[in-house]
Amino acid sequence: MTSSPLIPRPLSSLMPGDSGIVDHLETSGTVLYKLMELGVWPGEKITLVRRAPLGDPLIIELMGYQLALRQSEAQSIFLS
Amino acid sequence: MSAMALRTLTLAIAGNPNSGKTTLFNHLTGLRQKVGNYAGVTVERKEGLFSAGDTEIHLLDLPGTYSLSPNSEEERIAAEVILGLEKEAPTPDGVICVVDSTSLEKSLYLVLQILETGAATMVLLNMTDELTLRGARLDAELLARLLEVPVIQISATQGIGLPQLNALLECWIPRHAEQKTEKKLFAPTLPEITQRRLRAKQIARNVIKQELLPHPWSDKIDRVVMDRVWGPLIFAFVVLIVFQAIFSWAKPLMDGIDGLFTLLGTAVRHLEPGALWTSFLADGVLAGVGSVIVFLPQVLIVFFFIALLEHSGYLARAALVMDKLLYKAGLQGKSFLPLISSYACAVPGIMATRTIENKRDRFATILIAPFMTCSARLPVYAFLISAFIPDRRIIPGLLGWRSATLLSLYLLGFLAALVTAWGLKSTILKSDKMPFFLEIPPYRWPAWKTIFLMMWDRAKLFLTRAGTIILGASLALWILVTFPRHTGPEAMRDSFAGHIGRAIEPAIKPLGFNWKIGVGLLSAQVAREVMISSLATIYHVDADTKDQTKLQEAVRHDVTPWAAVSLLVFFALAMQCSSTLAVARRETGSWKMPALMFIYMNALAYIASLAIFQTSRWLGF
């Protein structure tokens, strides 16, 4: 039993090399469907591989492949 | 190839982007393919023929998608073709689903969705060579049993498993299963997506017998290519090479083509000087065909680089380097290549927008591409600048008025593009939220056959679709300047073109242009640089490309310096190129986009020139 509950943090706050399990997605509509179809859904392990030279977009790795997405979308993906 | 096909099968080939689908399609069909567009949409339509034993196979290449849910035009078309709802494509007897075996779980989503349609399906696990290289192993037989469809492990680039594929196709009798979700396919629900993802995870867990090791060198390259300092430097270097290639490598070829057609034209004209038929052949047909073929070297070079960059994996990285900057302007990372190509010519530039999957971003890129200072504007700029801008220094030893003018014109086009993109973002192409998801595949050696076939496809497409429109425009112009037939010094004045020039004179007079410039502008509609040779005709000066001083003198008598500045600005902003309009029509599938382009750019050019000339008059210059 941990004394303090683990608060999910957005993917955008990760440092390169960090990973976490998707807790929930704070988005809806096409973006939500698209993310889920690409495998970004609760329970999936995601690693932040690196950021593009200008800091945005981000490259993540999941299910053995790499996907780039913008900071704005990464902010809506919460990991625990 | 068999002499007699005993049966014909129509098969659709589906798969994720980067699954190697195109490489396989090219490998199977070779040159027996044709490329087009689905009516009214930007989605490419590709078909090919090949035979497996006695079976002749008609292969439909579906757009690369991750799902069949209609989030985009590509996905909608893919779904409709598979379900036999697409009017322009025959209903396929079965679906070949190409899967990148190095990312099985991701790819299974589309496979499961295709199976739900009830379509007879076979699964090809592509990139087996890379899978083995990375120490992984898949149980293809188990996958076949779990999915209840044939499964073969292949490598399209290495040719592994293709004999087995051939044998399977020869005896495959596609049987449709019961259709489960036709209607739901068009309105995805969260439980369904979750269901498929769960099933994909389950299957992948069972089938993957040995986990994948990281790609041996992809990450090492990316550490440099995506570095804060090295990344942009490498990007700039790649852009420089592409730029250099489009300008310098294409130039001798283009000059050669140009020279050849000029030579042919002169020869034909000498057959019977002054006759209508020689003029028609030389100035109409040959000039028209020449003005089409002259674009070929650039189209081929641009597509050589696109194919190379795309299939090696660098294009995706380059898009990431540029995305943040271009996103601010209302575009996206992948817009960089079309825009850079447009500095040579908007024709290959607009054709290059094919790499942008997102329709909205693609349209925005197409609309602003013609603002980039293309090489056809250069002869006109050079002509007018040396005629009107004094050869004096602004900063001694460094910058002269002439080069400063040229630089300003480049800058003006670029700024107009930025403002337009930004304006589009907040008006007609406004959308609540356009996500950008881009798979970053590992670096791979591109297949030369794929590169060659892409160049071949584009060249053919350009010649047949855009070429015919360009030729038509050129013939129309010939008629305008030739009829009604007059001989003598004022032939041009009394032609249809001359009449039109004088008819529009009241409209262009406020910009500082007389009817002769009007005719020049009209002829520039075929290609901007044609302006110079038609001015030469109007002013009765020999159109010598080496020595333009006589013509410059003649124009100087007729046009004030500020009218010349107004004309330069007009050329920088106006849509004067029927080839560009033809290609935009071809790439967007309707005349709406070229019409918008034409009206918007010309209105902008008119207003800018009007402002310049009237201000100069008001200031008393």
Side-chain angles (χ1 to χ4, degrees), chain A residues 26-27 29-41 43-45 49-59 62-70 72-73 76-77, chain B residues 66-67 69 71 75 102-103 105-106 109 188 190 193-194 197-198 201 219 222-223 225-228 231-232 320-321 323-325 327 331-332 433-440:
Chain A
E26 286 185 8
T27 178
T30 312
V31 180
L32 177 63
Y33 292 150
K34 209 81 231 189
L35 279 171
M36 300 231 352
E37 287 176 343
L38 287 164
V40 182
W41 65 308
E44 196 64 56
K45 186 188 171 192
V49 180
R50 58 173 59 85
R51 285 167 176 275
L54 298 178
D56 192 14
L58 293 71
I59 303 177
L62 67 156
M63 304 188 306
Y65 85 104
Q66 294 192 349
L67 181 73
L69 42 79
R70 291 199 184 114
S72 48
E73 270 79 45
S76 63
I77 300 165
Chain B
Y66 294 100
S67 85
S69 321
N71 291 324
E75 289 163 359
T102 67
S103 54
E105 189 183 333
K106 176 204 70 184
Y109 187 90
L190 274 184
I193 300 178
T194 314
R197 276 264 77 102
L198 271 173
K201 191 167 277 302
D219 190 64
D222 268 346
R223 249 177 247 173
V225 166
M226 288 280 105
D227 183 76
R228 265 158 186 263
L320 292 189
V321 173
D323 185 68
K324 195 178 178 181
L325 285 178
Y327 182 56
L331 302 165
Q332 60 138 294
K433 201 175 185 187
M434 230 39 231
F436 172 80
F437 299 120
L438 185 63
E439 189 181 341
I440 309 295

Side-chain angles (χ1 to χ4, degrees), chain B residues 35-37 459-470 582-583 586:
Chain B
V35 188
N37 258 48
K460 214 167 66 177
L461 214 61
F462 170 71
L463 289 180
T464 52
R465 300 302 176 81
T468 42
I469 304 180
I470 298 171
V583 165
R586 206 222 99 10

Side-chain angles (χ1 to χ4, degrees), chain B residues 131-184:
Chain B
L131 187 84
T132 317
L133 195 79
R134 291 168 69 180
R137 204 164 54 78
L138 297 181
D139 189 340
E141 275 171 42
L142 180 61
L143 184 65
R145 258 181 289 141
L146 289 172
L147 297 176
E148 299 171 37
V149 297
V151 175
I152 306 179
Q153 291 191 288
I154 66 158
S155 164
T157 42
Q158 303 291 316
I160 299 169
L162 295 182
Q164 285 93 311
L165 173 63
N166 218 55
L168 175 63
L169 287 171
E170 207 179 330
C171 62
W172 195 39
I173 300 166
R175 261 190 257 280
H176 286 254
E178 189 200 340
Q179 194 165 309
K180 286 173 194 157
T181 57
E182 180 187 350
K183 261 187 255 156
K184 287 180 208 155

